[in-house]
Amino acid sequence: MKHHKTIFLNGRYVDWNEATVHLLSHSVSRGSAIFEVLSFYEGLQGPSIFRLDAHVARLVKTAGLLEMRLPLGEKEIARAICETIRRNSLSSGYIKVVGYYGGIAYEILPPEEDLDLAVFVIPASVDPLHQQGRAQRGFSMGLSTWRKLDPGTVPVEAKVAANYLNGMLARQEAKKKGFDYTVLLDRDGYLAEGGTESVFLVKKGRLMTPSLGGILDSITRKSVLEVAGALGLNPVEEKLPPEALEEADEIFLSGTLGKVVPIERTGNRSLAPVPGPITLRINQFMEEILAGKEKNFHHWLFPVR
């Protein structure tokens, strides 16, 4: 896989191949790396980052939840992200910001030091949603036998590497069963979220999504809810039983890589048309926002230059 070569690493802009860490670092052996994934798009003002401020704020929140110390403040991190995009001359793609302990550590407790910080820029072409026609005809989704992490065991709202073993196992199971995506139930048996995606259902024109408390407070999820509100759809957040998947007229997922991902099959049940009318309205409006054509949402886009 070909990547653009410049990364931000602890205050320097270096070659991609310098992104190395010892195998006995705490973040490798204990899963203590924290991260954010952002997207940027070619807009009317050139490349613009989607909700940069919200993502950086959540990175800081994650560090606080885990009692970690970032080496830079929010404005400095935002500048590093913008500069990394500029140095790679990309007009659209994804950004991954990683905070990690790079030194060798044997104990379960992390080192009492600031995190190292790296910023990577990745071309949009690595996104599987760019496979020809997939996003238009929809994807399949199965219900996982794995449960979402109990919020009483770890802070599920933290973007930390260790938490994502949960989603990885669920997605692996889905792949073996022939599904593209999966959705997990929470500890009480209600719909939670996908491996790395939020889930939305439409029934009789009513847009629904699982309520917060046991899932990630996703920035894209929040954005979809605001878009739906702007369209007059009056979305609701509530506990949804797994049977809701069998009763929904439309289902879609949302995440950083795919803002609106239509589902055409859940389990053995097919949905049609795909995308459904409400899914289509939300997706079209979101695309207008990302292109910088919706003035009321300009504050979501941060021009790189």
Side-chain angles (χ1 to χ4, degrees):
M1 183 182 296
K2 183 180 179 181
H3 292 287
H4 284 250
K5 297 298 184 181
T6 301
I7 67 169
F8 172 88
L9 183 63
N10 294 329
R12 300 182 300 128
Y13 294 92
V14 300
D15 185 83
W16 178 279
N17 293 323
E18 290 192 40
T20 59
V21 65
H22 198 282
L23 289 175
L24 283 179
S25 73
H26 193 276
S27 290
V28 172
S29 61
R30 303 290 185 179
S32 58
I34 65 174
F35 67 95
E36 279 291 326
V37 179
L38 305 82
S39 55
F40 64 102
Y41 304 86
E42 181 65 69
L44 300 178
Q45 303 180 64
S48 295
I49 305 169
F50 183 72
R51 308 203 72 167
L52 172 63
D53 56 345
H55 280 281
V56 174
R58 190 172 62 182
L59 181 71
V60 172
K61 179 182 178 181
T62 291
L65 286 169
L66 301 174
E67 299 184 17
M68 296 175 172
R69 301 196 309 265
L70 289 164
L72 301 176
E74 291 186 33
K75 290 184 179 180
E76 294 170 305
I77 294 171
R79 281 197 293 268
I81 292 170
C82 290
E83 180 61 22
T84 307
I85 294 173
R86 282 194 290 266
R87 290 179 181 240
N88 284 284
S89 302
L90 282 175
S91 59
S92 63
Y94 307 101
I95 307 124
K96 187 158 189 176
V97 184
V98 184
Y100 62 98
Y101 295 111
I104 295 173
Y106 303 107
E107 301 294 331
I108 191 169
L109 291 174
E112 294 184 5
E113 59 190 35
D114 288 355
L115 294 166
D116 291 328
L117 191 70
V119 179
F120 303 85
V121 176
I122 303 166
S125 58
V126 305
D127 180 2
L129 290 174
H130 282 75
Q131 298 174 29
Q132 188 175 5
R134 290 305 302 276
Q136 283 69 42
R137 73 172 186 265
F139 294 80
S140 60
M141 183 182 76
L143 189 64
S144 180
T145 61
W146 295 100
R147 291 294 178 103
K148 181 65 184 174
L149 292 171
D150 188 327
T153 60
V154 294
V156 296
E157 66 269 34
K159 295 277 288 185
V160 59
N163 283 3
Y164 283 79
L165 179 63
N166 184 222
M168 183 194 82
L169 289 171
R171 185 72 74 82
Q172 282 180 335
E173 179 188 57
K175 184 178 179 181
K176 288 180 180 178
K177 292 181 177 179
F179 297 113
D180 300 308
Y181 290 100
T182 186
V183 61
L184 296 88
L185 303 180
D186 64 18
R187 62 178 179 179
D188 298 318
Y190 293 98
L191 295 177
E193 58 188 346
T196 58
E197 306 84 22
S198 302
V199 61
F200 288 84
L201 285 70
V202 179
K203 182 181 179 182
K204 297 181 179 179
R206 185 169 180 256
L207 180 65
M208 304 170 287
T209 191
S211 52
L212 296 176
I215 61 175
L216 179 72
D217 189 5
S218 162
I219 292 166
T220 311
R221 173 187 178 277
K222 191 180 303 182
S223 302
V224 169
L225 289 171
E226 291 186 49
V227 165
L231 291 171
L233 296 174
N234 300 317
V236 294
E237 303 172 65
E238 61 186 16
K239 288 185 176 295
L240 298 171
E243 294 78 25
L245 295 175
E246 298 302 317
E247 301 168 357
D249 302 315
E250 303 175 42
I251 301 173
F252 67 89
L253 305 177
S254 70
T256 299
L257 301 189
K259 297 294 186 286
V260 179
V261 180
I263 297 299
E264 59 88 19
R265 180 168 62 91
T266 173
N268 295 320
R269 176 175 177 253
S270 295
L271 294 94
V274 177
I278 288 180
T279 303
L280 185 61
R281 285 182 66 193
I282 293 172
N283 187 51
Q284 289 176 338
F285 197 84
M286 184 69 79
E287 288 181 348
E288 292 290 300
I289 291 172
L290 298 177
K293 297 178 181 179
E294 287 292 337
K295 292 183 179 180
N296 291 336
F297 290 88
H298 278 179
H299 62 286
W300 283 3
L301 300 175
F302 291 76
V304 170
R305 293 176 174 83

